[in-house]
Amino acid sequence: MSVKVEQLTKIYGTQRAVDDIAFEARPGEILGFLGPNGAGKTTTMKMITGYLPPSAGSLTVCDIDVVENTLDAQREIGYLPEHNPLYKDMYVREYLSFVARLHKIGNPKVRINELIDMTGLGREQHKPIGALSKGYRQRVGLAQAMLHDPQVLILDEPTSGLDPNQLAEIRSLIKQLGEKKTVIFSTHIMQEVQALCDRVIIINQGKLVANDPIERLQSRLKGETQVTVAFAKAVPKKELEQLAGVKLVESNGKNRWRLSTEGKADVREAVFRLAVKQDAPLLELHRNELSIEDVFRSLTDQKRSR
């Protein structure tokens, strides 16, 4: 087991930023780590990397206790933080050479060449980091995280700021790395989750609310369906909320609504009758297939959890 987290808790004053969570991440697995802003994702990642001490619980990386043997555990971890901390006055190759010396890498020139080629930094390698675009800075961050060939990669928003071409290249790289290493991957981009992750953890208000393989996650909402409706003119929200079987009504654009329903209730006929009653012609009316985004919103939306 590459990463094992048990009853992990982090308390700041009276606030439980992370509240008694437990999960495992295995070799050859890309674990998606999701949650709204402030949910505790970054705090958890910082504890796994030994950057922050936990208030309670235990952490092991490659069977090494992170709290008791922090440096030994960190040798097995490659970490790309959310805010990529780079020395902007250094050149790309100079910076990677500096990191290689810190890790005491033998034959660093060969390894640096491998990483520059792997991350697509060839044309930028002789530029100062401060002159690079955000996307290329992310590539430099990925290169430094992988330089010492760690068994565990912890990537906090690694695709932030990438254009579509860069996104496809980095996505392919992460997928390739995930075949042999353990990758914990945090993102807000649901398409990235579906494209990359084998399993997904969702954290909300410091608590673990989901820990499922990607193909099983959507079944978490098997008792709920959704209907999208658009009217040619305004229809009062309260009229939609009063329809039998409707659980939640959310705005989805001008005169456009998303209705969440209980169980297998099909409210489309009732919506049609309401449109006739309100003299509001229907422009759109269809049931939706549930997506990873729907599951995420259902498990982290406070209005739904009341």
Side-chain angles (χ1 to χ4, degrees):
M1 195 63 61
S2 288
V3 177
K4 189 172 184 179
V5 173
E6 295 181 298
Q7 283 70 59
L8 186 65
T9 300
K10 183 64 178 179
I11 301 172
Y12 296 104
T14 59
Q15 180 186 3
R16 285 180 171 261
V18 177
D19 191 0
D20 194 33
I21 68 172
F23 64 87
E24 297 174 348
R26 307 173 183 88
E29 176 179 67
I30 300 177
L31 177 64
F33 197 35
L34 310 180
N37 290 332
K41 303 187 303 301
T42 296
T43 299
T44 301
M45 288 182 162
K46 286 181 177 179
M47 286 191 284
I48 294 172
T49 59
Y51 183 77
L52 282 177
S55 301
S58 65
L59 296 156
T60 57
V61 171
C62 299
D63 297 321
I64 302 168
D65 188 298
V66 176
V67 176
E68 296 295 327
N69 301 287
T70 305
L71 286 177
D72 289 337
Q74 287 174 336
R75 291 187 180 99
E76 305 295 336
I77 298 171
Y79 180 38
L80 176 61
E82 180 181 8
H83 302 292
N84 192 356
L86 301 170
Y87 293 106
K88 296 180 183 179
D89 57 337
M90 296 181 76
Y91 290 80
V92 172
R93 182 172 282 277
E94 177 190 15
Y95 171 71
L96 293 177
S97 297
F98 167 69
V99 175
R101 289 197 299 274
L102 291 177
H103 285 295
K104 299 180 180 178
I105 293 173
N107 202 355
K109 187 175 180 180
V110 172
R111 181 60 179 162
I112 290 168
N113 287 338
E114 289 177 358
L115 266 298
I116 285 176
D117 182 61
M118 191 183 299
T119 55
L121 283 167
R123 293 193 306 172
E124 314 297 322
Q125 61 181 304
H126 300 300
K127 291 183 180 180
I129 292 172
L132 301 180
S133 68
K134 184 175 181 181
Y136 276 107
R137 290 183 194 178
Q138 285 296 94
R139 292 175 185 234
V140 175
L142 277 169
Q144 69 78 24
M146 297 185 292
L147 197 59
H148 59 296
D149 196 25
Q151 294 304 303
V152 176
L153 281 170
I154 298 180
L155 310 176
D156 198 353
E157 303 283 348
T159 56
S160 174
L162 303 184
D163 66 35
N165 291 331
Q166 294 172 331
L167 192 62
E169 292 170 6
I170 296 301
R171 181 188 292 171
S172 176
L173 174 58
I174 293 172
K175 195 78 173 175
Q176 178 185 339
L177 292 168
E179 293 176 0
K180 296 182 179 180
K181 300 184 183 298
T182 302
V183 179
I184 299 178
F185 173 77
S186 169
T187 182
H188 284 105
I189 305 171
M190 295 301 142
Q191 295 93 327
E192 290 298 288
V193 177
Q194 291 178 293
L196 284 172
C197 299
D198 303 299
R199 190 158 53 89
V200 174
I201 283 175
I202 300 177
I203 188 172
N204 188 42
Q205 294 186 320
K207 294 182 178 292
L208 201 68
V209 295
N211 183 358
D212 293 286
I214 193 76
E215 66 274 7
R216 200 183 303 161
L217 190 61
Q218 286 165 283
S219 68
R220 294 288 298 265
L221 291 184
K222 62 184 178 182
E224 179 181 301
T225 58
Q226 292 187 338
V227 171
T228 294
V229 56
F231 300 98
K233 68 176 192 179
V235 170
K237 181 180 179 181
K238 65 180 181 180
E239 294 288 343
L240 293 164
E241 291 174 331
Q242 290 172 1
L243 295 177
V246 171
K247 177 181 175 183
L248 181 69
V249 178
E250 300 169 285
S251 176
N252 196 22
K254 185 178 180 181
N255 299 331
R256 195 169 186 268
W257 303 92
R258 182 188 292 115
L259 314 180
S260 298
T261 65
E262 297 284 0
K264 297 181 179 180
D266 189 344
V267 300
R268 287 177 293 179
E269 182 177 345
V271 171
F272 177 80
R273 293 182 183 279
L274 177 62
V276 173
K277 177 184 174 183
Q278 294 286 324
D279 190 25
L282 283 169
L283 301 179
E284 182 182 354
L285 178 62
H286 62 86
R287 296 181 77 174
N288 305 324
E289 292 292 328
L290 294 176
S291 65
I292 298 298
E293 183 174 358
D294 295 320
V295 179
F296 175 83
R297 292 175 66 252
S298 178
L299 293 173
T300 60
D301 191 331
Q302 299 310 303
K303 292 182 291 186
R304 293 170 180 252
S305 61
R306 288 171 186 165

